[in-house]
Short mmCIF file of all heavy atoms in Angstrom, two decimals:
data_model
loop_
_atom_site.label_atom_id
_atom_site.label_comp_id
_atom_site.label_asym_id
_atom_site.label_seq_id
_atom_site.Cartn_x
_atom_site.Cartn_y
_atom_site.Cartn_z
N ILE A 127 32.73 -71.37 5.09
CA ILE A 127 34.09 -71.57 5.89
C ILE A 127 35.23 -71.69 4.82
O ILE A 127 35.21 -72.59 3.98
CB ILE A 127 34.03 -72.73 6.73
CG1 ILE A 127 32.87 -72.72 7.75
CG2 ILE A 127 35.34 -72.83 7.55
CD1 ILE A 127 32.68 -73.97 8.54
N THR A 128 36.09 -70.71 4.88
CA THR A 128 37.12 -70.66 3.72
C THR A 128 38.52 -71.01 4.33
O THR A 128 38.80 -70.81 5.48
CB THR A 128 37.13 -69.33 3.05
OG1 THR A 128 37.39 -68.36 3.94
CG2 THR A 128 35.82 -69.02 2.30
N PRO A 129 39.43 -71.41 3.40
CA PRO A 129 40.83 -71.68 3.76
C PRO A 129 41.64 -70.45 3.55
O PRO A 129 41.20 -69.43 3.07
CB PRO A 129 41.20 -72.84 2.72
CG PRO A 129 40.44 -72.45 1.56
CD PRO A 129 39.13 -71.83 1.95
N TRP A 130 42.91 -70.62 3.76
CA TRP A 130 43.86 -69.49 3.71
C TRP A 130 44.52 -69.29 2.33
O TRP A 130 45.21 -68.33 2.03
CB TRP A 130 44.90 -69.50 4.83
CG TRP A 130 45.64 -70.74 4.90
CD1 TRP A 130 45.34 -71.66 5.89
CD2 TRP A 130 46.61 -71.34 4.11
NE1 TRP A 130 46.12 -72.76 5.77
CE2 TRP A 130 46.93 -72.64 4.62
CE3 TRP A 130 47.27 -70.87 2.99
CZ2 TRP A 130 47.88 -73.45 4.13
CZ3 TRP A 130 48.21 -71.77 2.49
CH2 TRP A 130 48.58 -73.04 2.93
N ASN A 131 44.32 -70.28 1.45
CA ASN A 131 45.23 -70.22 0.23
C ASN A 131 44.57 -69.27 -0.85
O ASN A 131 45.39 -68.61 -1.45
CB ASN A 131 45.46 -71.63 -0.31
CG ASN A 131 44.15 -72.35 -0.74
OD1 ASN A 131 43.13 -72.13 -0.25
ND2 ASN A 131 44.34 -73.27 -1.74
N ILE A 136 37.72 -67.99 -3.11
CA ILE A 136 36.86 -69.11 -2.65
C ILE A 136 35.66 -68.58 -1.83
O ILE A 136 34.56 -69.24 -1.99
CB ILE A 136 37.85 -69.97 -1.78
CG1 ILE A 136 38.78 -70.72 -2.85
CG2 ILE A 136 36.96 -70.99 -1.11
CD1 ILE A 136 39.83 -71.66 -2.12
N TRP A 139 32.92 -67.85 -4.40
CA TRP A 139 32.28 -69.02 -4.96
C TRP A 139 31.07 -69.48 -4.07
O TRP A 139 30.21 -70.00 -4.63
CB TRP A 139 33.25 -70.24 -5.09
CG TRP A 139 34.41 -69.94 -5.96
CD1 TRP A 139 34.78 -68.80 -6.71
CD2 TRP A 139 35.56 -70.89 -6.06
NE1 TRP A 139 35.95 -68.89 -7.24
CE2 TRP A 139 36.44 -70.17 -7.01
CE3 TRP A 139 35.82 -72.10 -5.67
CZ2 TRP A 139 37.71 -70.72 -7.36
CZ3 TRP A 139 37.10 -72.63 -6.09
CH2 TRP A 139 37.87 -72.04 -6.88
N LYS A 154 33.07 -67.25 7.41
CA LYS A 154 34.30 -67.26 8.38
C LYS A 154 35.60 -67.44 7.57
O LYS A 154 35.85 -68.53 7.10
CB LYS A 154 34.14 -68.43 9.34
CG LYS A 154 35.22 -68.33 10.51
CD LYS A 154 35.55 -69.63 11.13
CE LYS A 154 36.67 -70.32 10.51
NZ LYS A 154 37.98 -69.65 10.50
N PRO A 155 36.44 -66.42 7.49
CA PRO A 155 37.71 -66.58 6.87
C PRO A 155 38.66 -67.41 7.69
O PRO A 155 38.51 -67.44 8.86
CB PRO A 155 38.14 -65.20 6.61
CG PRO A 155 37.49 -64.43 7.64
CD PRO A 155 36.22 -65.08 8.03
N ALA A 156 39.68 -67.98 7.06
CA ALA A 156 40.71 -68.60 7.78
C ALA A 156 41.52 -67.58 8.66
O ALA A 156 41.56 -66.46 8.37
CB ALA A 156 41.74 -69.30 6.82
N GLU A 157 42.00 -68.08 9.80
CA GLU A 157 42.54 -67.36 10.86
C GLU A 157 43.85 -66.58 10.28
O GLU A 157 44.00 -65.39 10.64
CB GLU A 157 43.13 -68.26 12.00
CG GLU A 157 42.03 -68.84 12.84
CD GLU A 157 41.53 -70.30 12.42
OE1 GLU A 157 41.51 -70.40 11.13
OE2 GLU A 157 41.28 -71.15 13.20
N GLY A 185 37.40 -65.57 12.96
CA GLY A 185 37.52 -66.39 14.27
C GLY A 185 38.08 -67.69 14.08
O GLY A 185 38.45 -68.05 12.96
N LYS A 186 38.05 -68.49 15.09
CA LYS A 186 38.57 -69.83 15.06
C LYS A 186 37.74 -70.78 14.41
O LYS A 186 36.46 -70.73 14.66
CB LYS A 186 38.99 -70.21 16.47
CG LYS A 186 40.13 -69.54 17.10
CD LYS A 186 40.47 -70.25 18.37
CE LYS A 186 41.84 -69.74 18.75
NZ LYS A 186 42.18 -70.07 20.20
N GLY A 187 38.26 -71.76 13.82
CA GLY A 187 37.45 -72.86 13.27
C GLY A 187 36.79 -73.59 14.32
O GLY A 187 35.60 -73.99 14.22
N SER A 188 37.43 -73.84 15.54
CA SER A 188 36.89 -74.57 16.46
C SER A 188 35.81 -73.81 17.30
O SER A 188 35.08 -74.35 18.07
CB SER A 188 37.94 -74.91 17.56
OG SER A 188 38.65 -73.68 17.98
N GLY A 191 33.49 -71.83 13.19
CA GLY A 191 33.23 -72.85 12.20
C GLY A 191 32.34 -73.91 12.84
O GLY A 191 31.31 -74.29 12.22
N GLU A 192 32.73 -74.30 14.00
CA GLU A 192 31.91 -75.47 14.73
C GLU A 192 30.59 -74.92 14.93
O GLU A 192 29.57 -75.72 14.86
CB GLU A 192 32.56 -75.88 15.99
CG GLU A 192 33.97 -76.54 15.75
CD GLU A 192 34.03 -77.92 16.15
OE1 GLU A 192 32.98 -78.49 16.64
OE2 GLU A 192 35.06 -78.56 15.84
N VAL A 195 28.28 -75.13 12.13
CA VAL A 195 27.91 -76.53 11.89
C VAL A 195 26.77 -76.94 12.84
O VAL A 195 25.83 -77.64 12.52
CB VAL A 195 29.15 -77.51 12.09
CG1 VAL A 195 28.72 -79.02 11.83
CG2 VAL A 195 30.15 -77.13 10.92
N PHE A 205 32.05 -75.57 2.91
CA PHE A 205 33.37 -75.73 3.48
C PHE A 205 34.48 -75.96 2.42
O PHE A 205 34.35 -76.91 1.65
CB PHE A 205 33.44 -76.89 4.48
CG PHE A 205 34.77 -77.09 5.09
CD1 PHE A 205 35.33 -76.45 6.17
CD2 PHE A 205 35.69 -78.07 4.49
CE1 PHE A 205 36.51 -76.53 6.64
CE2 PHE A 205 36.89 -78.30 5.04
CZ PHE A 205 37.33 -77.52 6.04
N THR A 206 35.49 -75.17 2.44
CA THR A 206 36.80 -75.49 1.66
C THR A 206 37.88 -75.46 2.60
O THR A 206 38.12 -74.57 3.46
CB THR A 206 36.99 -74.39 0.74
OG1 THR A 206 35.75 -74.24 -0.10
CG2 THR A 206 38.10 -74.74 -0.25
N GLY A 207 38.61 -76.60 2.55
CA GLY A 207 39.77 -76.75 3.43
C GLY A 207 40.22 -78.25 3.36
O GLY A 207 40.15 -78.89 2.39
N SER A 208 40.87 -78.66 4.44
CA SER A 208 41.55 -79.94 4.46
C SER A 208 40.45 -81.05 4.46
O SER A 208 39.34 -80.88 5.05
CB SER A 208 42.52 -80.05 5.65
OG SER A 208 41.74 -79.91 6.89
N THR A 209 40.87 -82.23 4.03
CA THR A 209 39.88 -83.34 3.98
C THR A 209 39.55 -83.73 5.46
O THR A 209 38.38 -84.09 5.76
CB THR A 209 40.55 -84.54 3.24
OG1 THR A 209 40.62 -84.08 1.84
CG2 THR A 209 39.71 -85.75 3.27
N VAL A 211 39.28 -81.90 8.25
CA VAL A 211 38.25 -81.02 8.88
C VAL A 211 36.96 -81.21 8.03
O VAL A 211 35.87 -81.13 8.64
CB VAL A 211 38.72 -79.52 8.89
CG1 VAL A 211 37.69 -78.58 9.48
CG2 VAL A 211 40.02 -79.40 9.77
N ARG A 214 34.96 -83.89 9.53
CA ARG A 214 34.41 -83.43 10.74
C ARG A 214 33.22 -82.58 10.58
O ARG A 214 32.12 -82.73 11.13
CB ARG A 214 35.53 -82.70 11.54
CG ARG A 214 35.15 -82.39 13.00
CD ARG A 214 36.30 -81.67 13.65
NE ARG A 214 35.77 -80.98 14.92
CZ ARG A 214 36.06 -81.42 16.00
NH1 ARG A 214 36.84 -82.45 16.08
NH2 ARG A 214 35.57 -80.95 17.03
N VAL A 215 33.33 -81.61 9.47
CA VAL A 215 32.12 -80.78 9.22
C VAL A 215 30.99 -81.68 8.71
O VAL A 215 29.83 -81.45 9.13
CB VAL A 215 32.55 -79.71 8.10
CG1 VAL A 215 31.33 -79.13 7.52
CG2 VAL A 215 33.54 -78.79 8.84
N GLU A 229 34.86 -78.73 -0.49
CA GLU A 229 35.90 -78.63 -1.52
C GLU A 229 37.22 -78.91 -0.65
O GLU A 229 37.57 -78.18 0.21
CB GLU A 229 36.08 -77.25 -2.09
CG GLU A 229 34.93 -76.87 -2.86
CD GLU A 229 34.83 -77.58 -4.29
OE1 GLU A 229 35.62 -78.42 -4.54
OE2 GLU A 229 33.84 -77.20 -5.02
N LEU A 230 37.78 -80.13 -0.82
CA LEU A 230 38.93 -80.57 0.04
C LEU A 230 40.25 -80.57 -0.65
O LEU A 230 40.49 -79.98 -1.62
CB LEU A 230 38.38 -81.87 0.66
CG LEU A 230 36.93 -81.81 1.30
CD1 LEU A 230 36.57 -83.23 1.84
CD2 LEU A 230 36.85 -80.73 2.33
N GLY A 231 41.06 -81.56 -0.16
CA GLY A 231 42.42 -81.61 -0.66
C GLY A 231 42.66 -82.23 -2.01
O GLY A 231 41.60 -82.71 -2.65
N GLY A 232 43.78 -82.26 -2.52
CA GLY A 232 44.13 -82.81 -3.84
C GLY A 232 45.53 -83.30 -3.88
O GLY A 232 46.42 -83.00 -3.06
N CYS A 263 44.93 -76.17 -4.15
CA CYS A 263 44.19 -77.61 -4.06
C CYS A 263 44.37 -78.34 -5.39
O CYS A 263 44.25 -79.51 -5.49
CB CYS A 263 42.72 -77.43 -3.71
SG CYS A 263 41.89 -76.24 -4.65
N GLU A 355 49.18 -84.86 0.53
CA GLU A 355 49.17 -83.55 0.08
C GLU A 355 50.16 -82.71 0.80
O GLU A 355 50.13 -82.52 2.00
CB GLU A 355 47.78 -82.94 0.18
CG GLU A 355 47.67 -81.51 -0.45
CD GLU A 355 46.25 -80.97 -0.08
OE1 GLU A 355 45.78 -80.98 0.96
OE2 GLU A 355 45.70 -80.31 -1.13
N PHE A 357 51.09 -79.34 -0.20
CA PHE A 357 50.51 -78.05 -0.16
C PHE A 357 51.64 -76.91 -0.12
O PHE A 357 51.53 -75.85 0.54
CB PHE A 357 49.51 -77.76 1.02
CG PHE A 357 48.33 -77.06 0.56
CD1 PHE A 357 47.53 -77.44 -0.49
CD2 PHE A 357 47.96 -75.92 1.26
CE1 PHE A 357 46.41 -76.84 -0.89
CE2 PHE A 357 46.81 -75.20 0.85
CZ PHE A 357 46.01 -75.63 -0.24
N LEU A 383 40.89 -84.22 -7.50
CA LEU A 383 40.33 -82.93 -7.75
C LEU A 383 40.57 -82.48 -9.22
O LEU A 383 39.71 -81.97 -9.93
CB LEU A 383 40.95 -81.95 -6.79
CG LEU A 383 40.36 -80.53 -6.80
CD1 LEU A 383 38.78 -80.60 -6.66
CD2 LEU A 383 40.95 -79.66 -5.76
N PHE A 421 33.22 -76.68 -10.76
CA PHE A 421 34.48 -77.06 -10.16
C PHE A 421 34.17 -77.79 -8.89
O PHE A 421 33.36 -77.50 -8.04
CB PHE A 421 35.11 -75.80 -9.74
CG PHE A 421 36.44 -76.04 -9.03
CD1 PHE A 421 37.60 -76.26 -9.68
CD2 PHE A 421 36.52 -75.86 -7.62
CE1 PHE A 421 38.76 -76.53 -8.89
CE2 PHE A 421 37.60 -76.10 -6.90
CZ PHE A 421 38.84 -76.48 -7.56
N SER A 427 38.26 -85.62 -2.44
CA SER A 427 38.45 -84.23 -2.68
C SER A 427 37.21 -83.29 -2.62
O SER A 427 37.29 -82.15 -2.74
CB SER A 427 39.10 -84.17 -4.11
OG SER A 427 40.40 -84.36 -4.12
N GLU A 432 30.94 -76.32 -7.25
CA GLU A 432 30.85 -74.86 -7.17
C GLU A 432 30.93 -74.35 -8.58
O GLU A 432 31.33 -75.01 -9.47
CB GLU A 432 31.88 -74.22 -6.22
CG GLU A 432 31.66 -74.77 -4.83
CD GLU A 432 32.47 -73.98 -3.70
OE1 GLU A 432 33.82 -74.19 -3.85
OE2 GLU A 432 31.97 -73.20 -2.99
P1 NAD B 501 41.77 -76.34 7.21
O1 NAD B 501 40.85 -77.45 7.01
O2 NAD B 501 42.79 -76.29 8.21
O3 NAD B 501 40.81 -74.93 7.46
C1 NAD B 501 39.90 -74.54 6.62
C2 NAD B 501 38.89 -73.70 7.34
O4 NAD B 501 38.08 -74.44 8.36
C3 NAD B 501 39.51 -72.59 8.20
O5 NAD B 501 38.68 -71.34 8.00
C4 NAD B 501 39.49 -73.14 9.61
O6 NAD B 501 39.41 -72.12 10.58
C5 NAD B 501 38.16 -73.87 9.58
N1 NAD B 501 38.13 -74.93 10.62
C6 NAD B 501 39.12 -75.53 11.30
N2 NAD B 501 38.60 -76.46 12.19
C7 NAD B 501 37.28 -76.40 12.03
C8 NAD B 501 36.26 -77.12 12.64
N3 NAD B 501 36.40 -78.08 13.60
N4 NAD B 501 34.95 -76.91 12.20
C9 NAD B 501 34.63 -75.97 11.28
N5 NAD B 501 35.61 -75.31 10.64
C10 NAD B 501 36.98 -75.45 11.06
O7 NAD B 501 42.35 -76.05 5.80
P2 NAD B 501 43.52 -74.92 5.45
O8 NAD B 501 44.83 -75.43 5.99
O9 NAD B 501 42.96 -73.47 5.76
O10 NAD B 501 43.47 -75.07 3.88
C11 NAD B 501 44.22 -75.97 3.15
C12 NAD B 501 43.47 -77.13 2.69
O11 NAD B 501 42.35 -76.70 1.92
C13 NAD B 501 44.18 -78.03 1.79
O12 NAD B 501 43.96 -79.37 2.08
C14 NAD B 501 43.66 -77.66 0.34
O13 NAD B 501 43.74 -78.76 -0.57
C15 NAD B 501 42.21 -77.42 0.70
N6 NAD B 501 41.62 -76.57 -0.38
C16 NAD B 501 40.65 -77.12 -1.21
C17 NAD B 501 40.10 -76.38 -2.30
C18 NAD B 501 39.13 -77.07 -3.16
O14 NAD B 501 38.44 -76.22 -3.82
N7 NAD B 501 38.99 -78.36 -3.16
C19 NAD B 501 40.43 -75.11 -2.39
C20 NAD B 501 41.40 -74.57 -1.55
C21 NAD B 501 41.97 -75.36 -0.53
#
Side-chain angles (χ1 to χ4, degrees):
I127 302 172
T128 57
W130 47 259
N131 62 332
I136 290 175
W139 301 355
K154 191 207 89 64
E157 290 88 323
K186 288 191 168 167
S188 56
E192 296 249 354
V195 175
F205 173 84
T206 306
S208 60
T209 294
V211 178
R214 190 183 163 101
V215 165
E229 296 288 1
L230 310 175
C263 51
E355 187 184 41
F357 222 55
L383 189 55
F421 177 79
S427 282
E432 297 191 290

